[in-house]
Every structure is written in C-alpha cells, then in structure tokens.
Amino acid sequence: MTLALRVPEELSARVPAEQRGPGLDRDAVRLLVSRGTEVSHHAFPELPCLLRAGDLLVVNTSPTLAAAVDGRIGHARVVVHFSTRGDDGRWAVELREPDGRGTTRARAGGPAGTEVRLPEGVRLTLEEPLSARGERLWWARVAGAGVPGLLREHGRPIRYSYTERDQPLSAYQTVFALPRPGGAGSAEMPSAARPFTARLVAELVSRGVQFAPITLHTGVASAEAHEPPYPERFAVPEASARLINGVKAGGRRVVAVGTTAVRAVESAAGADGVVRAREGWTDLVVTPERGVRVVDGLLTGLHEPEASHLLMLRAVAGTAAVERGYEEAVRGLYLWHEFGDVHLLLPAEAGTGGPHGEHCFSNCR
C-alpha cells in the first residue's frame, strides 16, 4: 500500500522528545487516535484515559543494540549494520557508505567473498544474499572476536540522515527493554514504546490496564528500502499467551505496542485465534488479505507512505482509517520516525470521554 500523500521533510523528528525543551520527558510527544475514521488529537500522557480497565498492552522487551560498526573494504570506508544472528552463527548484515554527515547512504551489496576489516583485527566475510529478493542484506561470517563484544566496544546505534546528531544507546532503549543472554537484541529500536515512562506505566497499571511481554528482535530497515520484513527471532512466553487468551475470552481489547508486537502475537496464534507459547523464527507478513486473529488495536509510530508496515495497519484498522489518520497527521504537523509522535488505532466502537475524547486530559489528572 502506498498512501497518496507526501510527508514534508520538516516533519522528521530530528532529536528525542526530551531534548526539545527544558523539563520534557520521553512522553512529550503527540498522540493521534483513530477510531475507525474518527480522529482525535491528544498528548501521549492522556493514554490512560483512552484505554479501559481490562485492556491489555502487548509490549516488546527486546533491547536495542549498538549495531553500527565502522570498517574498511580495501581503502574504502564502510559502515556495517549488524541485523540478525543466524542459527549457524553467521550474521545478516547490511553494508553502507558514510555520507560525510555522520550518517550513511545505501551501497550495492556483495559480491560473495568480500572481506570487511573491522576494529581490533576482526574480519567479516560476505557469503550469500539473505534473500532472493535482492542483495541489500547478506549472510556473513565473522572471525577474530564475538559480535556482541564488538558491538559493545565499537558499535553505535544505527542512525539515519533525518536525525540531527548521534545519540547515546540509552536514547534508543525503551522502558520495557530487558538484557538478553549472549547479547541478543534488536538492530533498530522497537520505537512505538519509546514514549512510555515508568510513571506512565504505573498510572496505566493503577487504572487496570494489563501488560503482556513478548520478544521480537528486529532487523535493519533502511530508510531507502521498503521491502517486507525478513524473518526475525521472536518469543511469546506461556504466561503472556494465557493472559492474551483470557482477555480475548472476556471480550476485552488486545492492543499491540508496535508492529513488532503484532508480528510476534499473530505468529503465535493458531487458525482458531488461540495464542500458544512459541519461540523461534517468524516469516509472517501481516497483510489485509491475511488479517489479524488476535490484535484489536495498535499503538505505532508514523510510517513513510511507501512503507510495507502500512499493510499491517490496514489489516488491523482498515484502509479508510489508515488513510484518514495519515491525512490528519500531515495536516496536524505530527512528527515522523523513531523520535516522533505516535498513532493509536482502536476499533470504531471504542472510546471514552465522548467521540473525540475532548475532556480526557483533565479527567486523567
């Protein structure tokens, strides 16, 4: 799905919300709410008023890795984006070129056998493309050191050209992120959860909103490429599966925090809509044709008009709701990308505080 709209460059969020003014926290972003084609505008701290007691938020606990490392091919400088570790010990990687502004631009992949020199004598050798779709991502063998240690010592968060400057890794961790054995994590932040603070989570819990943790380690998603997602590692634990099924059986709403949470939960759901504990790899692509079996709503960032993620949004909320919401986001000057504003898509019959939630903010305090 490609939306028939243009997102002006000035709507790119260039720094995290907490750096835009004194006294601000991560939750100082705007929240666009779509209930079907009804749209309302809020501040993110109003979220507790927009949900109901008994609603369930599915959250991704994957931590973000410092997945970008400088290297050289011969005399040429490159940047390696480490995406996903395979079961055989190889890594899926993307090679990019420095753009002279502290970020990177796309680079032709391959060929097989290309060797990249990394810090401290580490060598990376490209072996084969990850997919027949193209040669942007390659499986590569790393010799000379373990990748988790390399990333800890010499890596930095993946950053794209619309951002203003490098940020510490902590700026890319969500409040739900948990360290993983062996240094596993996401190449790029599960950014829909970034605006949550510990204070807001406590308020949601006090109002009867529940949380179900899952894990999905996201791979790289370069700004220039909008292919469907590649296979990713995920886990839905038994306790979360039971909680999700109980909420569904009680007629309450399951709201995924991010497209990664949708992919994980829907990958663990059978044709009967029952979620079962699962872990491994998922190659599921959620489309309107496939639909969703579990998720009733979605909290997500604002995606580029060409992004494949919009297929998932259409599956959850329908084409009309997505188109209407994005038109309002551009008209309302919402900010895009991982440090930007967020969009809550709820079923059309949902809502509290009137059809547009006009009094929600005052009721929340």
Side-chain angles (χ1 to χ4, degrees), residues 86-319:
D87 292 333
D88 59 1
R90 296 187 298 175
W91 278 79
V93 301
E94 180 188 20
L95 301 189
R96 301 193 42 104
E97 292 180 350
D99 63 3
R101 300 190 302 272
T103 54
T104 61
R105 56 177 169 254
R107 175 192 182 280
T114 296
E115 184 178 89
V116 183
R117 301 194 312 277
L118 299 174
E120 298 187 13
V122 177
R123 295 287 191 272
L124 179 149
T125 304
L126 301 185
E127 293 191 347
E128 60 182 334
L130 187 65
S131 165
R133 290 188 221 149
E135 297 190 353
R136 185 173 67 88
L137 292 175
W138 283 71
W139 285 115
R141 191 78 62 179
V142 179
V147 171
L150 178 73
L151 300 186
R152 282 194 301 273
E153 293 298 320
H154 300 283
R156 61 185 179 277
I158 290 175
R159 175 191 158 208
Y160 293 116
S161 58
Y162 49 78
T163 55
E164 187 174 289
R165 56 181 176 269
D166 284 344
Q167 298 288 341
L169 184 58
S170 59
Y172 291 86
Q173 303 295 3
T174 74
V175 72
F176 304 110
L178 297 172
R180 297 291 164 178
S186 290
E188 298 189 9
M189 171 176 53
S191 56
R194 191 184 190 279
F196 284 86
T197 62
R199 179 183 62 250
L200 186 63
V201 170
E203 183 172 356
L204 286 162
V205 171
S206 74
R207 288 172 172 266
V209 175
Q210 304 176 85
F211 289 84
I214 57 85
T215 301
L216 187 138
H217 298 312
T218 66
V220 299
S222 298
E224 301 86 354
H226 295 294
E227 7 17 3
Y230 288 91
E232 294 168 317
R233 288 182 180 273
F234 82 105
V236 175
E238 178 65 38
S240 292
R242 286 199 307 267
L243 188 54
I244 293 167
N245 292 331
V247 165
K248 296 295 288 185
R252 292 163 292 170
R253 300 181 300 187
V254 174
V255 179
V257 177
T259 56
T260 60
V262 177
R263 195 181 201 198
V265 169
E266 295 291 329
S267 296
D272 56 1
V274 175
V275 178
R276 296 170 176 86
R278 279 193 62 191
E279 62 179 300
W281 292 88
T282 177
D283 58 3
L284 176 66
V285 179
V286 178
T287 64
E289 293 72 29
R290 189 266 186 192
V292 288
R293 298 168 179 168
V294 179
V295 172
D296 301 300
L298 172 61
L299 179 71
T300 182
L302 292 163
H303 304 282
E304 294 288 352
E306 305 86 3
S308 60
H309 290 302
L310 293 177
L311 292 171
M312 182 183 290
L313 270 63
R314 285 176 58 200
V316 173
T319 298

Side-chain angles (χ1 to χ4, degrees), residues 58-79:
V58 181
V59 296
N60 188 357
T61 62
S62 178
T64 307
L65 303 177
V69 179
D70 292 325
R72 288 186 178 272
I73 300 175
H75 296 293
R77 295 175 57 216
V78 296
V79 177

Side-chain angles (χ1 to χ4, degrees), residues 320-340:
V322 175
E323 290 181 345
R324 173 84 171 105
Y326 272 67
E327 289 167 1
E328 280 294 307
V330 171
R331 186 178 297 115
L333 303 181
Y334 279 70
L335 296 180
W336 255 252
H337 302 304
E338 64 267 29
F339 297 137

